[in-house]
């Protein structure tokens, strides 16, 4: 976003208190923790029930923020910053967003409803992204705060928007409509969520429909109640003319799209749909009713946009389940788990029970259910309906957790109840979970993720456990070394150094990281497709990937004139303007980058070119981890200063500059420039033994004992008989080998694993899928857990013994090894 401060003042119809110059604001912020807060930030001090952001203004000023929208000036700060005083800072934020939205004329899809908003938004993004540069709401930013922040992220390169709008009571949607201003409206499923905020379902539908009062078309599932609401809504006519009604239905053949189900398998549903007199077939890769309805909403958009039948089929076949809901996991004692441990309302319970039926792997079905919120019903009526659902779905037993759900005692004889999650966990073993499908469904406040963790199988598979708390700790440790104005890029290349790219990127996004770094375009595309909104720099882009980089709004590192000219050619063909690129300087690494003798040609090529914008200038240190070579580091830093300054002066630009990697952050803090790049340190590894004490272990590679056998003195173990026993020995076989990333050099007594907190030496050669260890002195049994690396041995120790570096250990772990992410 780019708006002048003077323009914002006029939008808000207020007066400034201070001395603002003609500053261009490129960052709107409501989060005082954001590392993006700087001298071009306009901070809105929002006031909520539990927080008043005015108290953070002093700290923000120390970070360089000078412009604030406030309801009052905090005591002692008069004259020390620029303040725009308004009656309501949230309304002011919405006003600015509404104006900013009006600057763009491309189509905007607005999505509202009780259920399915985020899924429809994400699926539409997937279906339409090959043809559009899409701006969409991040996560579920559909609130009075989330919507304006989403819209303010629009830039000139977007040509389609998809925003969801959520409301909990009347008089909210009209505000969101002014911000989103959708040209295409989608009404998804209407359920019971937030019923308590409305006098009736009819009132709720009418309020939601206010999002479409100026839309050119409204897409919805045709039914009697919606039709009735639509009649009273028909008085709103868009300025461009009569609104088009685009309906779909399973039962009413007068709908714009009439749908009938043809075939049903365990994996997909075949439907037949009639549109404009043409009958077509479509295979939907889901079987539950909610997903099918959401797919048809997406199908309706594609039909309205005049996509052909073949394209529709090809793209819809590739749709995938959203990970945010209803995760199926392998449980203990041959159970299967359906993880819906973060939501509890009546409508979603119905959906979850449908899903349970379609995904059940055992005849016995159990539901673990918390108190149900947001039903809009009295407890007596609500739980009577729940009981009816339980009975109709043939649930074998119900485990209720909470104060009000115990009402079910009189309605369900096969139910047991606990006052809270802890009481349930204490009695877990007595509940005898075995050979059943378990739906775990609870409101967030009940922390049902602890139940999921307890019931998930942990002992019969090799997994790399990733401690997200440790990632956060290490991130904050290095962040504490930076000046308040210094940005941070975190490297998530090579599958997040073996730890999982998307999950870690998502966590860093929560921490308001400035940039992500990947090696190749496909890594960045994967993150963007998964919903990551952070800017992503591609460090080693191949010329053949430039079109995909542009399509997915990635930002390439440019390190040669050949690459620059290739990118500029494509940028000109696509008529881009100020597309962000990053210029790499070779200051001594001699790997990639522009050298001193090519700078003049680089300047000549970029001067006057408006298709690209130099977002940053960077270089890479070759010896930042070895202070014996600190003179060479200073040589690189000085050369970087010289070359980058020349480029900035000649092109009259002020980009981000960065040269420090993880070791550089600690060893050369004076060279922070505008940003640093955090790599291996994020994952808990430092080359400095003292610094290592302050980092937390992130990854623990675990397996189990498959079999234990006793061999006699003189008998051998493994290929080549490279281990010969000199005593009677107990040998444990572990199902992990070099195909999983364990070096063959780790065998023959050099390496060890940890079992029952004791070292078990690796014997003989490491096999492709197995290794053998000596457990003669360890009291263990088959099925016991084995630590391959983590706290002991550490990856640093393994690297030292194998005469390599921790990077190689971490990135060698095969993706066939399951990653399990957890929080303490």
């Amino acid at each position: 976003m780019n708006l002048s401060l003077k323009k914002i003042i006029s939008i808000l119809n207020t007066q400034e208190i201070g001395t603002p110059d003609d500053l261009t604001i490129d960052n709107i912020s409501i989060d005082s923790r954001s590392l993006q807060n700087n001298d071009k930030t306009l901070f809105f001090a929002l006031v909520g029930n539990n927080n008043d952001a005015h108290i953070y203004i002093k700290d923000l000023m120390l970070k360089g923020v000078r412009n604030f929208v406030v309801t009052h000036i905090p005591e002692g700060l008069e004259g020390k910053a620029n303040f725009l005083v308004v009656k309501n800072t949230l309304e002011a934020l919405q006003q600015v967003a509404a104006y900013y939205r009006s600057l763009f004329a491309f189509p905007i899809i607005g999505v509202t409803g009780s259920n399915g908003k985020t899924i429809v938004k994400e699926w539409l993004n997937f279906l339409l992204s090959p043809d559009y540069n899409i701006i969409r709401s991040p996560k579920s930013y559909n609130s009075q705060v989330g919507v304006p922040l989403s819209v303010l992220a629009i830039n000139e390169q977007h040509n389609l928007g998809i925003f969801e709008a959520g409301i909990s009571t009347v008089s909210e949607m009209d505000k969101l409509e002014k911000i989103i201003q959708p040209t295409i409206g989608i009404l998804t499923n209407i359920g019971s969520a937030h019923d308590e905020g409305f006098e009736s379902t009819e009132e709720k539908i009418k309020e939601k429909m206010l999002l479409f009062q100026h839309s050119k078309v409204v897409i919805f599932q045709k039914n009697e109640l919606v039709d009735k609401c639509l009649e009273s809504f028909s008085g709103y006519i868009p300025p461009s003319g009569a609104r088009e009604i685009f309906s779909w239905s399973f039962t009413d053949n007068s709908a714009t799209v009439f749908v009938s189900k043809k075939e049903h398998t365990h994996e997909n549903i075949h439907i037949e749909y009639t549109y404009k007199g043409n009958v077509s077939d479509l295979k939907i890769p889901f079987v539950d009713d909610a997903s099918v309805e959401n797919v048809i909403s997406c199908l309706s958009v594609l039909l309205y946009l005049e996509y052909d039948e073949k394209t529709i089929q090809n793209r819809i076949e590739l749709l995938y389940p959203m990970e945010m809901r209803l995760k199926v996991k392998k449980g203990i004692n041959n159970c299967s788990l359906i993880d819906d441990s973060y939501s509890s309302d009546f409508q979603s319970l119905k959906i979850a029970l449908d899903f349970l039926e379609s995904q059940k792997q055992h005849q016995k079905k159990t539901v673990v259910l918390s108190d149900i919120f947001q039903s809009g019903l009295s407890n007596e009526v609500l739980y009577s309906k729940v009981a009816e659902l339980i009975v109709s779905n043939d649930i074998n037993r119900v485990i209720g957790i909470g104060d009000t759900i115990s009402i079910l005692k009189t309605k369900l004889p096969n139910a047991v109840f606990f006052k809270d999650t802890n009481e349930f966990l204490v009695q877990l073993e007595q509940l005898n979970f075995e050979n059943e499908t378990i739906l775990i469904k609870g409101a967030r406040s009940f922390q049902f993720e602890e139940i999921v963790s307890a019931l998930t199988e942990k002992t019969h598979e090799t997994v790399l456990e990733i401690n997200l708390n440790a990632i956060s700790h290490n991130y904050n440790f290095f962040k504490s070394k930076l000046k308040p104005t210094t940005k941070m890029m975190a490297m998530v290349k090579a599958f997040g150094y073996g730890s999982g790219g998307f999950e870690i990127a998502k966590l860093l996004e929560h921490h308001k990281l400035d940039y992500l770094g990947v090696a190749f375009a496909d890594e960045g595309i994967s993150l963007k497709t998964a919903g990551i909104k952070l800017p992503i720099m591609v460090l080693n882009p191949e010329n053949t990937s430039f079109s995909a980089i542009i399509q997915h709004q990635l930002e390439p590192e440019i390190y040669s004139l050949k690459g620059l000219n290739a990118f500029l050619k494509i940028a000109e063909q696509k008529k881009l303007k100020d597309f962000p690129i990053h210029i790499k300087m070779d200051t001594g690494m001699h790997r990639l980058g522009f050298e001193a003798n090519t700078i003049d040609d680089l300047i000549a090529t970029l001067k006057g070119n408006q298709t690209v914008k130099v977002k940053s200038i960077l270089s890479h240190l070759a010896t930042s981890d070895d202070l014996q070579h600190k003179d060479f580091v200073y040589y690189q830093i000085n050369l970087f200063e010289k070359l980058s300054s020349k480029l900035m002066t000649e092109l009259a630009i002020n980009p981000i500059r960065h040269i420090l990697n993880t070791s550089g952050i600690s060893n050369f803090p004076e060279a922070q420039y505008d940003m640093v790049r955090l790599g291996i340190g994020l994952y808990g590894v430092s080359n400095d033994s003292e610094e290592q004490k302050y980092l937390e272990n992130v990854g623990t590679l675990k397996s189990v004992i498959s079999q234990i056998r006793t061999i006699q003195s003189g008998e051998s173990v493994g290929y080549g008989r490279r281990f010969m026993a000199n005593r009677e020995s107990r040998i444990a076989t572990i199902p992990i080998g070099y195909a999983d990333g364990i070096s063959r050099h780790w065998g023959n007594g050099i390496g060890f694993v940890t079992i029952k907190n004791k070292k078990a030496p690796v014997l003989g050669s490491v096999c492709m899928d197995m290794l053998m260890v000596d457990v003669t002195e360890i009291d263990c049994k088959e099925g016991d857990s084995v630590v391959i690396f983590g706290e002991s041995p550490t990856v640093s120790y393994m690297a030292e013994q194998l005469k390599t570096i921790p990077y190689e250990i971490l990135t060698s772990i095969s993706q066939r090894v399951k990653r399990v992410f957890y929080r303490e």
Side-chain angles (χ1 to χ4, degrees):
M1 189 211 78
N2 287 289
L3 285 176
S4 72
L5 188 59
K6 289 184 177 180
K7 184 62 184 179
I8 293 172
I9 291 170
S10 69
I11 295 168
L12 298 178
N13 192 26
T14 187
Q15 291 185 341
E16 73 278 13
I17 300 176
T19 56
D21 54 17
D22 191 17
L23 176 70
T24 296
I25 297 296
D26 62 13
N27 181 35
I28 297 292
S29 177
I30 63 166
D31 188 347
S32 62
R33 301 169 301 174
S34 174
L35 296 178
Q36 298 180 41
N37 291 325
N38 55 41
D39 59 348
K40 293 184 179 180
T41 292
L42 181 62
F43 183 83
F44 285 74
L46 300 185
V47 180
N49 294 330
N50 301 313
N51 192 31
D52 184 347
H54 289 78
I55 65 176
Y56 303 120
I57 289 177
K58 185 175 181 180
D59 291 338
L60 284 162
M61 290 170 61
L62 295 175
K63 296 178 181 180
V65 180
R66 289 290 177 268
N67 301 284
F68 301 90
V69 178
V70 297
T71 59
H72 64 277
I73 301 174
E75 185 177 353
L77 299 184
E78 297 87 352
K80 296 183 179 179
N82 302 319
F83 295 99
L84 311 186
V85 182
V86 298
K87 290 183 179 180
N88 185 303
T89 50
L90 174 57
E91 291 180 1
L93 175 65
Q94 294 171 339
Q95 281 180 265
V96 172
Y99 170 80
Y100 187 70
R101 161 65 182 94
S102 70
L103 300 178
F104 300 91
F106 56 75
I108 297 287
I109 300 173
V111 186
T112 191
S114 300
N115 307 102
K117 297 186 293 296
T118 302
I119 293 173
V120 168
K121 177 198 68 182
E122 294 298 327
W123 282 353
L124 281 176
N125 176 73
F126 174 82
L127 294 167
L128 298 173
S129 61
D131 310 306
Y132 296 91
N133 289 327
I134 299 174
I135 175 69
R136 71 188 194 280
S137 310
K139 299 182 182 179
S140 296
Y141 271 37
N142 59 27
S143 67
Q144 298 292 307
V145 175
V147 168
L149 292 178
S150 300
V151 167
L152 287 167
I154 297 174
N155 64 48
E156 289 77 7
Q157 293 163 21
H158 296 127
N159 55 17
L160 179 69
I162 310 174
F163 298 105
E164 54 175 303
I167 57 172
S168 57
T169 188
V170 296
S171 303
E172 290 185 343
M173 188 59 85
D174 195 53
K175 298 174 183 177
L176 299 185
E177 191 278 335
K178 290 179 172 63
I179 301 169
I180 298 175
Q181 301 172 39
T183 55
I184 299 172
I186 302 174
L187 182 66
T188 64
N189 175 274
I190 296 296
S192 60
H194 301 294
D195 268 359
E196 60 268 31
F198 305 92
E199 292 184 359
S200 64
T201 302
E202 183 176 338
E203 182 183 61
K204 181 165 66 172
I205 294 174
K206 288 182 178 180
E207 180 71 16
K208 288 181 180 292
M209 280 187 171
L210 290 177
L211 179 63
F212 313 134
Q213 57 188 280
H214 298 102
S215 299
K216 294 180 179 178
V217 63
V218 181
I219 295 170
F220 62 97
Q221 182 178 10
K222 186 177 179 63
N223 63 60
E224 185 176 344
L225 184 57
V226 173
D227 286 349
K228 179 180 178 182
C229 294
L230 199 60
E231 288 178 11
S232 63
F233 182 63
S234 60
Y236 293 105
I237 300 298
S240 57
R243 179 187 298 104
E244 181 178 348
I245 299 303
F246 197 109
S247 62
W248 65 269
S249 177
F250 291 117
T251 58
D252 188 341
N253 59 15
S254 69
T256 313
V257 180
F258 179 64
V259 183
S260 59
K261 297 179 182 179
K262 293 179 61 179
E263 298 177 11
H264 184 294
T265 70
H266 290 296
E267 297 180 350
N268 52 61
I269 287 178
H270 285 261
I271 67 168
E272 182 179 87
Y273 65 92
T274 304
Y275 175 61
K276 291 186 175 180
N278 297 316
V279 179
S280 304
D281 289 320
L282 180 66
K283 183 169 72 174
I284 295 176
F286 307 98
V287 294
D288 62 289
D289 291 342
S291 295
V292 172
E293 290 182 8
N294 291 331
V295 169
I296 295 173
S297 290
C298 295
L299 166 67
S300 298
V301 174
L302 296 178
L303 292 172
Y304 174 75
L305 295 176
E306 299 182 344
Y307 276 76
D308 63 85
E309 182 179 345
K310 183 178 180 181
T311 301
I312 290 173
Q313 179 64 75
N314 289 342
R315 294 187 184 178
I316 284 182
E317 280 186 359
L318 296 175
L319 288 177
Y320 49 89
M322 299 303 298
E323 292 188 356
M324 68 185 71
R325 290 185 182 276
L326 298 171
K327 301 175 185 177
V328 180
K329 302 178 179 180
K330 190 173 183 180
I332 62 173
N333 303 327
N334 197 36
C335 292
S336 61
L337 308 181
I338 296 178
D339 179 4
D340 194 12
S341 58
Y342 43 78
S343 67
S344 181
D345 61 78
F346 183 70
Q347 189 66 23
S348 67
L349 175 60
K350 292 170 63 177
I351 294 169
L353 288 171
D354 283 343
F355 188 81
L356 168 62
E357 184 61 25
S358 66
Q359 294 291 320
K360 66 179 180 182
Q361 298 180 22
H362 308 278
Q363 287 301 311
K364 183 179 180 181
K365 295 181 292 184
T366 296
V367 175
V368 181
L369 186 64
S370 79
D371 289 345
I372 297 176
F373 303 134
Q374 298 181 336
S375 70
L377 304 171
S378 69
N379 286 336
E380 183 62 30
V381 172
L382 168 64
Y383 289 109
S384 292
K385 290 179 174 292
V386 170
E388 291 172 7
L389 274 181
I390 297 297
V391 171
S392 65
N393 281 271
D394 296 322
I395 303 302
N396 298 91
R397 67 169 170 172
V398 174
I399 298 171
I401 299 177
D403 293 326
T404 61
I405 198 170
S406 59
I407 292 175
L408 287 175
K409 280 183 180 179
T410 60
K411 305 177 186 300
L412 294 173
N414 60 342
V416 293
F417 299 90
F418 300 92
K419 66 178 181 180
D420 56 33
T421 300
N422 287 334
E423 185 179 290
F424 167 88
L425 292 172
V426 169
Q427 300 187 45
L428 180 64
E429 291 186 6
Q430 285 71 42
L431 292 169
N432 298 318
F433 290 101
E434 186 176 10
N435 299 317
E436 56 195 292
T437 302
I438 308 166
L439 170 63
I440 303 172
K441 184 164 185 57
R444 288 185 181 274
S445 59
F446 285 87
Q447 297 181 313
F448 269 21
E449 65 270 14
E450 295 181 21
I451 296 177
V452 174
S453 177
L455 291 176
T456 300
E457 183 183 61
K458 302 177 182 66
T459 58
H460 296 290
E461 55 184 352
T462 297
V463 299
L464 180 60
E465 293 184 348
I466 307 299
N467 186 341
L468 296 177
N469 296 85
I471 290 278
S472 298
H473 170 86
N474 298 334
Y475 166 81
N476 288 320
F477 172 78
F478 285 99
K479 179 183 173 183
S480 70
K481 293 175 175 284
L482 305 179
K483 296 177 290 187
T485 56
T486 303
K487 299 178 184 293
M488 184 183 287
M489 174 185 291
M491 310 309 298
V492 291
K493 61 182 180 178
F495 194 53
Y497 288 61
S499 297
F502 168 72
E503 292 82 359
I504 291 173
K506 205 71 175 174
L507 175 65
L508 295 172
E509 193 168 53
H510 171 74
H511 283 296
K512 308 296 183 182
L513 182 77
D514 298 281
Y515 257 94
L516 291 172
V518 298
F520 300 105
D522 57 348
E523 296 174 319
I525 291 170
S526 176
L527 292 176
K528 286 292 189 181
T529 301
I532 297 299
K533 291 296 186 180
L534 286 176
I536 300 176
M537 186 175 115
V538 183
L539 281 78
N540 306 324
E542 298 161 320
N543 291 6
T544 54
S545 69
F546 284 155
S547 292
I549 284 174
I550 292 170
Q551 176 187 343
H552 292 277
Q553 296 294 294
L554 304 174
E555 302 180 13
E557 174 190 287
I558 303 295
Y559 50 81
S560 68
L561 285 171
K562 179 181 178 182
L564 176 60
N565 286 324
F567 189 82
L568 289 177
K569 181 179 180 180
I570 295 175
E572 289 167 0
Q573 290 173 351
K574 294 182 177 293
K575 298 180 180 180
L576 301 181
K577 180 175 175 58
D578 292 337
F579 193 93
I581 62 173
H582 302 260
I583 299 297
K584 176 74 171 287
M585 301 289 188
D586 181 4
T587 58
M589 185 76 169
H590 295 332
R591 189 171 61 178
L592 294 174
F594 291 92
E595 297 180 285
N597 60 5
T598 61
I599 295 300
D600 289 338
D601 290 336
L602 171 63
I603 292 170
T605 304
L606 287 174
K607 186 168 286 188
N609 192 298
Q610 296 183 351
T611 59
V612 296
K613 177 181 180 180
V614 178
K615 192 69 174 291
S616 82
I617 305 173
L618 67 147
S619 189
H620 194 63
L621 298 177
T623 59
S624 63
D625 59 343
D626 189 349
L627 294 180
Q628 292 184 13
H629 295 285
K630 65 180 180 180
D631 289 343
F632 187 73
V633 173
Y634 286 123
Y635 163 79
Q636 284 194 267
I637 292 170
N638 291 333
L639 182 57
F640 178 67
E641 173 66 30
K642 176 183 176 182
L643 297 179
S644 61
S645 295
K646 180 176 181 179
L647 191 64
M648 292 165 65
T649 300
E650 293 290 334
L651 296 178
I653 58 176
N654 185 30
I656 300 168
R657 291 192 287 177
H658 47 115
I659 192 172
L660 296 185
N661 52 12
T662 295
S663 297
I665 293 171
S666 300
N667 294 334
F668 302 94
E670 67 276 17
Q672 288 181 18
Y673 284 99
D674 306 298
M675 186 163 70
V676 299
R677 302 187 301 273
L678 179 61
I680 195 72
L682 181 67
Y683 304 95
V685 178
S686 171
N687 69 296
D688 184 284
S689 58
E690 285 302 309
E691 184 173 76
Q692 185 67 53
K693 297 176 182 177
Y694 295 96
L695 300 179
E696 292 185 359
N697 178 65
V698 169
T700 300
L701 181 59
K702 290 184 175 181
S703 192
V704 297
I705 298 175
S706 296
Q707 188 176 34
I708 296 176
R709 70 184 68 250
T710 299
I711 65 172
Q712 302 302 316
S713 177
E715 291 188 303
S716 63
V717 173
Y719 287 115
R721 306 193 72 194
R722 291 186 176 88
F723 172 78
M724 303 290 293
N726 58 13
R727 62 170 180 172
E728 182 179 277
S729 304
R730 294 177 75 232
I731 308 300
T733 300
I734 317 300
I736 184 172
Y738 60 76
D740 302 292
I742 306 303
S743 171
R744 292 187 75 246
H745 299 294
W746 192 236
N748 300 311
I750 293 175
F752 69 91
V753 301
T754 300
I755 301 174
K756 300 285 189 178
N757 296 318
K758 295 182 178 180
K759 293 182 180 180
V762 179
L763 304 179
S765 298
V766 174
C767 306
M768 179 181 287
D769 307 300
M770 289 170 279
L771 56 83
M772 287 69 73
V773 299
D774 187 347
V775 294
T776 306
E777 307 299 330
I778 303 174
D779 181 15
C780 58
K781 62 184 184 299
E782 292 173 359
D784 280 350
S785 178
V786 179
V787 174
I788 311 300
F789 67 65
E791 297 289 350
S792 177
T794 65
V795 291
S796 296
Y797 174 84
M798 291 182 71
E800 182 181 350
Q801 297 300 305
L802 294 171
K803 296 180 173 54
T804 184
I805 57 177
Y807 296 79
E808 184 176 0
I809 305 295
L810 291 172
T811 58
S812 294
I813 303 305
S814 168
Q815 291 197 36
R816 81 176 186 177
V817 174
K818 180 182 176 182
R819 272 68 173 175
V820 176
F821 298 86
Y822 70 96
R823 293 181 183 273
E824 296 287 357

